[in-house]
Amino acid sequence: LAMMAGQDLLTNPIFGFVFVWMWVGLVPISLLLGQFWRATNPLRTIHSGLCALARVDPERDLVALPARLGVWPAAAGILGFAWLELVQPDRTTLAVLRVWALAWLVILVLGAIVFGQRWIGAADPFEVCASTLAQMSIWRRVGDQLRLVNPLAGLNAWHAPPGATAVVAALLGSTAFDSFTNTSWWIRVVQNSNLPTVLWGTGGLLAMIIIVYLSFSLAAAWMGRYGSRPAGAYPRLMVASLLPIVLGYVVAHYATLLIVDGQRTAINFSDPLGRGWNVFGSAEMGVNSAIFNYPTAIALVQLCAIVGGHVLGIVCAHEKAVALLPPDRALQGQLPLLLVMVGYTCAGLLLLFSP
């Protein structure tokens, strides 16, 4: 309602809903509630409704979706959404957001009609992002029971689909790029250049994601020299070890955004059309930004998130490497991956605290 009939103002809650609640908020929701987005995905609801009207099975497909496709379409979708959020200059205008939302709806619903609901699980960037991070959830279904589990237990048991490495690289690389664009070096170079800002942003975003993807893939492929599987199989087998690092980056870079701008969005929910309404009684409330009165505490949390995420990632990588490689070769096989993860740690801290 706010997107289609609201006013084109920053007080329109749709912008905060999409960029704060829906994107950043999916992280804590997926950690706490597991496959929440899959269960509530509006695309699945729309497609199921259309199938009910047509009296066909929602899982029925007209064309079989190749298994090797995996979640590669979602990786492209995450890249597209990251470009919208971080590069598109008019992202906080209704015209731009409407076009992207319509494209998201049409591509995924029509794809589900052709390929079945499996297409949504393969191509929806929000569902794939949430489902991937839900591998660290404290909840796991065991048979017919829902049980509390060690959040790291599911990582090394996760059978990552094809394209999962690209998905995780897009998540990590886009977060790193967001931090990189706030450095004085980047701002100075872009401002002094004759090239369009959009071109700089697009190139920088692609470069950061490619760096993450190639560095991790090459380091993991090194394990093929010591293991029994082809070298190309190891990046997908080891990609779960990057998820704690992604979580650490998200906490460090976006926690304050979610806390403060999340409040502002909730306040604006009461007036979705900009007509002075107070539907939920929140319009008269103010944003509590007291968290910014404790910069030392914020910096400490950011530091612990980055370092803690990398430590957990290294522990997961070590456990998985020991399981995949012969005992006498496990150390040599995982050394390049260890160096890459230490490099991620240093780069993350440098980006976080650089002027």
Side-chain angles (χ1 to χ4, degrees):
L1 179 65
M3 180 171 63
M4 301 310 298
Q7 296 186 30
D8 198 359
L9 301 171
L10 288 178
T11 53
N12 189 318
I14 188 61
F15 302 117
F17 177 77
V18 171
F19 296 120
V20 180
W21 277 45
M22 190 171 173
W23 186 239
V24 183
L26 273 181
V27 177
I29 287 177
S30 300
L31 293 178
L32 294 174
L33 302 180
Q35 302 291 347
F36 174 84
W37 181 258
R38 180 182 175 87
T40 60
N41 192 338
L43 297 174
R44 290 184 178 273
T45 304
I46 293 171
H47 178 252
S48 296
L50 293 175
C51 289
L53 291 174
R55 297 183 179 180
V56 298
D57 184 358
E59 298 298 331
R60 178 183 175 184
D61 55 52
L62 301 177
V63 179
L65 199 63
R68 64 179 180 274
L69 185 67
V71 292
W72 278 103
I78 292 173
L79 172 61
F81 184 82
W83 187 87
L84 169 66
E85 181 188 23
L86 304 176
V87 179
Q88 165 65 258
D90 300 321
R91 57 187 172 274
T92 53
T93 61
L94 287 180
V96 169
L97 202 57
R98 285 167 181 164
V99 170
W100 281 83
L102 183 62
W104 172 65
L105 177 68
V106 170
I107 291 173
L108 288 165
V109 173
L110 288 182
I113 292 173
V114 176
F115 300 111
Q117 280 211 352
R118 183 167 171 251
W119 170 254
I120 296 177
D124 181 15
F126 301 104
E127 180 168 315
V128 171
C129 172
S131 298
T132 300
L133 292 171
Q135 301 305 318
M136 294 184 290
S137 173
I138 59 176
W139 296 100
R140 189 161 295 272
R141 185 171 294 281
V142 181
D144 294 332
Q145 296 182 335
L146 194 63
R147 297 182 180 178
L148 279 171
V149 298
N150 180 343
L152 298 181
L155 288 181
N156 288 336
W158 180 39
H159 298 288
T165 305
V167 166
V168 177
L171 293 173
L172 185 58
S174 60
T175 305
F177 173 73
D178 190 16
S179 181
F180 184 56
T181 56
N182 293 320
T183 62
S184 57
W185 182 87
W186 173 267
I187 295 173
R188 183 172 61 254
V189 169
V190 173
Q191 288 180 344
N192 294 334
S193 172
N194 293 325
L195 295 176
T197 303
V198 173
L199 188 60
W200 272 103
T202 304
L205 177 62
L206 285 172
M208 197 68 75
I209 293 175
I210 291 172
I211 288 172
V212 173
Y213 181 82
L214 290 180
S215 60
F216 176 80
S217 296
L218 292 174
W222 175 267
M223 297 171 65
R225 297 167 58 95
Y226 303 95
S228 58
R229 295 174 174 82
Y234 285 95
R236 190 171 144 198
L237 290 169
M238 299 297 296
V239 70
S241 61
L242 280 185
L243 293 183
I245 298 176
V246 172
L247 177 60
Y249 268 63
V250 170
V251 171
H253 293 282
Y254 297 127
T256 54
L257 173 73
L258 180 60
I259 292 171
V260 177
D261 281 6
Q263 295 178 65
R264 184 174 292 110
T265 302
I267 291 170
N268 291 334
F269 279 161
S270 282
D271 189 16
L273 301 183
R275 298 183 178 181
W277 294 353
N278 193 8
V279 177
F280 303 111
S282 63
E284 302 301 325
M285 295 181 180
V287 175
N288 185 345
S289 58
I291 187 174
F292 292 122
N293 296 332
Y294 306 96
T296 303
I298 292 175
L300 184 61
V301 170
Q302 292 173 327
L303 177 64
C304 291
I306 293 286
V307 175
H310 285 79
V311 170
L312 292 177
I314 289 173
V315 170
C316 291
H318 173 71
E319 183 180 346
K320 190 71 172 181
V322 169
L324 293 174
L325 301 178
D328 58 334
R329 297 183 176 184
L331 181 61
Q332 300 96 315
Q334 61 185 296
L335 186 59
L337 192 56
L338 172 64
L339 295 177
V340 165
M341 288 189 168
V342 171
Y344 289 167
T345 306
C346 297
L349 294 174
L350 183 64
L351 290 175
L352 187 62
F353 296 111
S354 62

